[in-house]
Amino acid sequence: MKTIDELLTEGVAGKRVFVRADLNVPLDGGTITDDGRIRAVLPTVKALADAGAKVVVASHLGRPKGAPDPAFSLAPAAARMGELLGTGVAFATDTVGDSARSTVAGLADGQVAVIENLRFNAGETAKDDAERGAFADRLAELADVYVGDGFGAVHRRHASVFDLPARLPHAAGHLIATEVGVLKKLTEDVKRPYVVALGGSKVSDKLAVIDQLLGKADRLLIGGGMVFTFLKAKGYEVGASLLQEDQIPVVQEYIERAEKNGVELVLPVDVVTSTEFPDLKTKTPGHPHTVAADAIPADQLGLDIGPETRKLYASKLADAATVFWNGPMGVFEHPDYAEGTRALAQALLDSPAFTVVGGGDSAAAVRLLGFDENAFGHISTGGGASLEYLEGKALPGLAALED
């Protein structure tokens, strides 16, 4: 895989360089609530601009239906990128139309433009190879060189991720090179003990990665809404908690396999519950109760790991050499149910291990709860991509960057 450093050595001055970034930032109206993904691609954009390239940044945002939708415009991301770069960033109001062509044509060496949300064109996500390829052909007309740096999208077989690199000389940006290097530390020659903490709402989202980790990790810590399927699989009542009953047989098999393989599977000993899900907009105080994990009342739903579990999980991380964390331990967006996630993040910081935060809600929690991002070994920009890499899947966006 060619890197951006090699590309810069060859020279990019005067060339139009298409950077496939991941600017899929959370928005509250037109306000960006977390600019982490924009900041993550800045080293690549700045390096190219400083080398005299005409930089064309492209990304998706949200899930528009293949047509323009103002709610998913990249205009706020373009404005924020300009603020962070300290220079003007041009914005094209379409993807491959008159605005995109004229905006790119107007770039001087060292200038940056962002084109509108790629998913405003149905060809970006089309299942049909020809339709996707036709959109990639039009994108290719905007550039001389392709740089892939949107790690959060490399698990998608989309036009700008998979098809476009085949049409242009291509290289991996700084972010993708860093992300792949970190993931190799989790899959090749791993320093042990290797501890994985998994949370999030649905156990079905994590089954494939758990299947892989049962042969690689030394210890698995389970939290979040997915934990109640594990507790139910052990014969515990889980009250009104989130439960995927159809996954119980699979989880039971995993519990048995973990014991057989000598993998320590650690579940909560207590949970924080309430009779209702909290209001995340108003942050109205909830009604938290702490109960034993095997004694959840019928009218209660689990919303966080309890104080004894926090201590237990911290002790299980204390001697780790490598830690991967993906998924919050509870409803971290509400202060009454954020302490489990906060305690886990703090335990990662207290551990001597190389710590990797697996993107998505985990990365959002780190920022929301006020932790110093630089204190962790690595915070990934792609939760789904990280998980699929750990599952052993071939990621289309990485395969496309191979020579």
Side-chain angles (χ1 to χ4, degrees):
M1 185 182 294
K2 188 175 187 176
T3 68
I4 188 173
D5 291 332
E6 296 172 82
L7 183 65
L8 291 169
T9 299
E10 294 172 0
V12 294
K15 293 182 179 180
R16 300 169 300 163
V17 181
F18 188 104
V19 177
R20 202 331 180 162
D22 178 9
L23 308 180
N24 187 27
V25 292
L27 293 172
D28 183 2
T31 302
I32 296 170
T33 58
D34 183 350
D35 65 1
R37 285 177 169 166
I38 299 173
R39 287 185 284 112
V41 77
L42 289 184
T44 290
V45 172
K46 192 172 187 309
L48 290 166
D50 288 348
K54 300 172 181 179
V55 186
V56 182
V57 182
S59 176
H60 70 287
L61 193 155
R63 296 180 182 273
K65 305 298 183 182
D69 183 338
F72 297 108
S73 175
L74 278 174
R80 180 58 178 153
M81 180 175 287
E83 292 172 358
L84 292 169
L85 287 172
T87 185
V89 168
F91 180 66
T93 57
D94 57 27
T95 56
V96 291
D98 292 342
S99 180
R101 289 193 297 271
S102 63
T103 299
V104 173
L107 289 176
D109 293 0
Q111 290 187 329
V112 180
V114 173
I115 65 174
E116 187 54 286
N117 191 338
L118 292 164
R119 291 185 182 175
F120 285 3
N121 189 304
E124 170 67 1
T125 59
K127 302 290 186 186
D128 181 73
D129 290 349
E131 184 180 355
R132 231 179 33 250
F135 183 50
D137 287 339
R138 297 185 69 188
L139 289 173
E141 294 172 2
L142 301 175
D144 305 303
V145 181
Y146 176 94
V147 171
D149 215 30
F151 181 73
V154 294
H155 58 314
R156 306 295 187 192
R157 195 181 181 93
H158 290 170
S160 66
V161 175
F162 179 74
D163 301 274
L164 183 55
R167 289 157 168 78
L168 295 169
H170 50 264
H174 288 307
L175 176 60
I176 279 187
T178 298
E179 294 273 13
V180 171
V182 167
L183 288 169
K184 284 183 177 179
K185 291 184 179 181
L186 301 178
T187 54
E188 302 172 12
D189 193 27
V190 182
K191 293 184 178 179
R192 300 182 179 278
Y194 176 23
V195 183
V196 176
L198 294 177
S201 58
K202 294 183 178 180
V203 69
S204 56
D205 294 340
K206 305 282 170 50
L207 287 178
V209 75
I210 293 172
D211 184 60
Q212 286 291 314
L213 291 169
L214 287 174
K216 294 176 181 175
D218 299 301
R219 197 175 294 151
L220 290 177
L221 314 180
I222 307 295
M226 63 183 284
V227 80
F228 300 104
T229 303
F230 278 84
L231 294 175
K232 187 72 172 180
K234 288 182 69 71
Y236 299 165
E237 289 303 319
V238 297
S241 304
L242 182 65
L243 177 65
Q244 290 186 282
E245 291 200 48
D246 60 321
Q247 303 298 335
I248 289 175
V250 180
V251 170
Q252 287 174 329
E253 191 270 326
Y254 284 176
I255 292 172
E256 293 170 4
R257 183 141 56 95
E259 185 174 359
K260 180 180 178 181
N261 291 353
V263 177
E264 187 178 2
L265 181 62
V266 188
L267 300 176
V269 294
D270 60 349
V271 295
V272 179
T273 67
S274 176
T275 55
E276 58 187 7
F277 197 85
D279 189 321
L280 300 183
K281 284 187 177 283
T282 65
K283 302 295 192 293
T284 303
H287 303 88
H289 302 277
T290 300
V291 301
D294 60 354
I296 300 174
D299 65 339
Q300 301 275 316
L301 65 155
L303 297 170
D304 195 12
I305 57 173
E308 293 304 314
T309 303
R310 295 168 210 159
K311 295 175 187 175
L312 173 64
Y313 284 13
S315 73
K316 298 296 183 181
L317 290 165
D319 66 342
T322 304
V323 177
F324 175 70
W325 168 35
N326 182 280
M329 294 292 103
V331 186
F332 71 93
E333 300 94 337
H334 193 285
D336 287 339
Y337 310 103
E339 291 309 307
T341 302
R342 186 190 306 278
L344 188 83
Q346 185 61 55
L348 262 67
L349 294 183
D350 294 340
S351 167
F354 174 65
T355 56
V356 179
V357 180
D361 283 344
S362 309
V366 164
R367 299 183 184 109
L368 180 67
L369 299 176
F371 288 95
D372 178 4
E373 297 175 52
N374 295 321
F376 297 87
H378 179 70
I379 296 182
S380 178
T381 57
S386 296
L387 286 178
E388 290 199 15
Y389 190 100
L390 293 181
E391 289 168 19
K393 291 183 177 179
L395 305 187
L398 296 185
L401 294 176
E402 297 290 348
D403 294 329

